[in-house]
Amino acid sequence: RYISTFRPSVKCEVAKNKAQWKTMGPAKVAVPSPKNFLQKHSKEPKLPIRKKEQDSKKLPALSVPRRTDHPVMGIQSKKNFINTNAVAAITGLPKKPQPIYVDRRQGDKYLLETSGLVPKYIKKKDYGVTPKYITRRNAEMKRAQKEYEAGILEHLKKRAMKQLSDEERRSLLQGLKKNWEEVYREFQGLSVEIDTIPKKLYKEKLESQMKQLEHDIEVIEKHKVIYIANE
């Protein structure tokens, strides 16, 4: 079987440490002297001894007088404060009252400047002037609209389409409104009681024609530019 090579040294070390505990009780050690007893505050940390300040170092100047300083006595002023105050009160400008407003009958006062009742903003130089960024944005929108219309015209030219003039658009709109009035007149001429199938079908036909005419009129009124195919 395996036997460690350190076995003899381990046995020797164990016997060496057990030798002093073979007797009853611990081994005999030196007893402390009774003169070295524990004293009060002996384990507290001690601060280093403070050194006295040298006389050559001067203290900084104080902004307040020292406790040992005495006030200077016997100084008198020849200024007549009564006359001076009277002249200042007579020649001085009166203080303007601060503008205030009262919004309750109990008399609660508030500053008028911060109330929004003073029309100070309309007196500015740029009041009512369109801001530059809005002008620039409108110009960009107009330019984009022109470019879009130019592109549409080019596309319609390729597809052989033409744009209705204002006069043609106006006459077309008037004709649609006239047709709607004629259909509406016929619709009002129907009998009150629709009791047969032909009457019911005729009423539905008139209603569909009126809806279609109303839709066409709305489309033409909404769009100012209308393109149609060349015949």
Side-chain angles (χ1 to χ4, degrees), residues 87-144:
V87 171
I90 294 171
T91 59
L93 296 176
K95 186 179 180 181
K96 293 183 178 180
Q98 196 172 13
I100 58 176
Y101 74 98
V102 180
D103 61 347
R104 298 172 62 186
R105 63 181 180 180
Q106 283 80 3
D108 297 336
K109 298 179 181 179
Y110 302 96
L111 294 178
L112 187 63
E113 184 70 19
T114 58
S115 64
L117 302 175
V118 182
K120 59 182 180 180
Y121 294 103
I122 61 176
K123 297 180 181 179
K124 289 186 176 182
K125 295 182 180 179
D126 56 348
Y127 179 79
V129 179
T130 306
K132 294 182 180 180
Y133 75 94
I134 294 181
T135 306
R136 184 169 58 253
R137 185 174 61 185
N138 293 339
E140 292 177 356
M141 290 175 62
K142 290 181 180 180
R143 181 176 53 81

Side-chain angles (χ1 to χ4, degrees), residues 65-81:
R66 297 178 181 273
R67 186 175 60 179
T68 57
D69 294 346
H70 299 284
V72 181
M73 306 297 291
I75 298 178
Q76 296 181 358
S77 177
K78 297 181 180 180
K79 183 178 180 181
N80 192 344
F81 290 94

